[in-house]
């Protein structure tokens, strides 16, 4: 991608460890070019434990802001001068805006997930949800679903303590910890309106695979299935769900929309999220 740099160009980036595989520079630079905004978006490896040092360096280097992925999302929280409600609720920051020496932390993951749900015609209000996993992605999904009035969200995880810890963070009390064994998943799926996989199972590059996808057969016909994974575009879980007649979506929509909402915060520019996602999505299509 050709990016024009001028003396006035403002800097943005994504930090993480590892991070050189990130699609964020491609997504953001494409959006910035389409909007005609004088910014450039870079990729900056920052090792674990160096979050505070990076924040100081970013301020000194005149960055307008940055996105954060593992392992920095939680480490950024106590370093912020202010937090938006979602970042405070999740205890994690994925977007930092630097303004007049102050660092304001946001989290756009939950908003991105909600917009992806809406694109598929799924509203969370009153829905019974089976959520697989209890990691960082699960936290944003689970707490946003509860905040939006989901009837109940079963957080299914192999390590019971992690599921219990996540559920304890829900002020509304809609999250319920549950096991990850086949019998439990089948039982819960019988009552589900929505199933979301927030684990790495099925991810390209070594995320592992589900040993048994039979629990999908217990879902009611109208239940929708989402996977936060976007590479590959169709995981084994999504293929099985689609074959069973379910609405099935991967994580590309969530990825694109969280980036759109982050860029709005960086630049103060209102963006047509649907139009921008449509423009960027083909660039991320698998060969």
């Amino acid at each position: 991608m050709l990016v024009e740099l001028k003396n006035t160009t403002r800097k943005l980036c994504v930090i993480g460890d590892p991070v050189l595989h990130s699609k964020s520079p491609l997504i953001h630079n494409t959006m910035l070019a389409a909007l005609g905004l004088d910014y450039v978006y870079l990729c900056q490896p920052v090792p674990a434990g160096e979050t505070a040092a990076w924040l100081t360096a970013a301020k000194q280097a005149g960055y307008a802001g940055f996105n954060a992925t593992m392992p920095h999302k939680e480490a950024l929280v106590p370093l912020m001068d202010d937090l938006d409600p979602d970042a405070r609720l999740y205890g994690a920051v994925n977007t930092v805006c630097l303004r007049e020496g102050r660092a304001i932390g946001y989290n756009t993951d939950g908003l991105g997930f909600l917009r992806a749900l809406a694109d598929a015609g799924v509203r969370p209000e009153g829905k019974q949800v089976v959520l697989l996993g209890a990691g960082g992605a699960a936290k944003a999904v689970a707490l946003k679903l509860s905040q939006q009035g989901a009837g109940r969200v079963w957080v299914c995880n192999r390590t019971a303590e992690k599921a219990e810890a996540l559920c304890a963070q829900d002020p509304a009390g809609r999250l319920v910890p549950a096991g990850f064994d086949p019998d439990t998943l089948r039982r819960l799926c019988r009552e589900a309106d929505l199933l979301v996989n927030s684990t790495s199972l099925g991810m390209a590059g070594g995320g592992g695979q589900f040993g048994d996808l039979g629990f999908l057969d217990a879902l009611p016909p109208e239940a929708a299935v989402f996977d936060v994974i976007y590479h590959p575009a169709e995981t084994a879980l999504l293929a099985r769900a689609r074959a069973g007649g379910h609405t099935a979506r991967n994580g590309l929509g969530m990825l694109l929309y969280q980036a759109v909402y982050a860029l709005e915060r960086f630049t103060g520019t209102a963006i047509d999220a649907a139009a921008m996602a449509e423009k960027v999505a083909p660039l991320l299509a698998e060969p």
Side-chain angles (χ1 to χ4, degrees):
M1 159 175 283
L2 180 64
V3 178
E4 182 182 357
L5 298 179
K6 297 179 286 189
N7 288 343
T8 55
T9 301
R10 304 201 66 192
K11 297 186 293 293
L12 300 166
C13 74
V14 58
I15 67 168
D17 184 21
V19 75
L20 294 179
H21 64 285
S22 175
K23 300 292 187 185
S24 291
L26 174 61
I27 294 170
H28 281 271
N29 285 318
T30 299
M31 293 194 294
L32 289 165
L35 295 165
L37 297 175
D38 189 18
Y39 291 77
V40 64
Y41 192 102
L42 309 169
C43 186
Q44 179 62 55
V46 175
E50 297 295 324
T51 317
W54 160 255
L55 180 59
T56 299
K59 290 178 179 179
Q60 292 174 342
Y63 273 79
F66 57 91
N67 288 122
T69 186
M70 291 176 57
H72 301 295
K73 288 186 177 184
E74 294 182 356
L76 281 165
V77 172
L79 302 176
M80 296 294 100
D81 295 300
D82 199 5
L83 293 167
D84 87 325
D86 277 359
R88 186 173 289 109
L89 176 65
Y90 308 156
V93 167
N94 80 332
T95 301
V96 177
C97 294
L98 300 176
R99 298 174 182 144
E100 299 179 348
R102 287 170 50 82
I104 299 93
Y106 300 87
N107 194 305
T108 63
D109 288 333
L111 286 174
F113 175 71
L114 278 188
R115 182 57 186 265
L117 275 185
D119 278 0
V122 178
R123 295 178 58 86
E125 294 86 349
K127 294 291 190 296
Q128 305 298 306
V129 183
V130 172
L131 175 64
L132 308 180
K139 183 186 294 187
V141 169
L143 292 172
K144 181 56 75 173
L145 284 170
S146 176
Q147 188 183 66
Q148 295 298 306
R152 185 182 302 156
V153 180
W154 290 287
V155 179
C156 304
N157 199 62
R158 289 192 176 96
T159 305
E161 292 78 10
K162 286 192 68 174
E164 291 163 1
L166 195 165
C167 294
Q169 295 180 52
D170 177 25
R174 294 188 174 96
L175 308 187
V176 180
F180 203 87
D181 58 280
D183 288 343
T184 297
L185 295 182
R186 280 181 175 274
R187 176 174 55 82
L188 297 179
C189 281
R190 292 189 190 102
E191 303 179 48
D193 302 300
L194 172 65
L195 182 139
V196 181
N197 175 42
S198 66
T199 75
S200 62
L201 293 174
M203 184 183 295
Q209 297 291 333
F210 284 93
D212 179 6
L213 288 169
F215 57 87
L216 293 174
D217 299 335
L219 288 170
E222 66 278 5
V225 176
F226 276 72
D227 199 325
V228 301
I229 293 168
Y230 59 88
H231 181 59
E234 182 164 84
T235 59
L237 179 128
L238 290 179
R240 176 77 169 259
R242 198 167 280 120
H246 299 283
T247 295
R249 296 286 190 276
N250 65 21
L252 183 59
M254 180 178 176
L255 173 72
L256 293 176
Y257 287 127
Q258 65 80 26
V260 169
Y261 297 136
L263 194 61
E264 285 188 329
R265 284 149 181 76
F266 288 142
T267 65
T269 301
I271 299 173
D272 183 331
M276 194 59 71
E278 185 176 350
K279 182 178 186 67
V280 177
L283 302 178
L284 303 176
E286 296 174 32

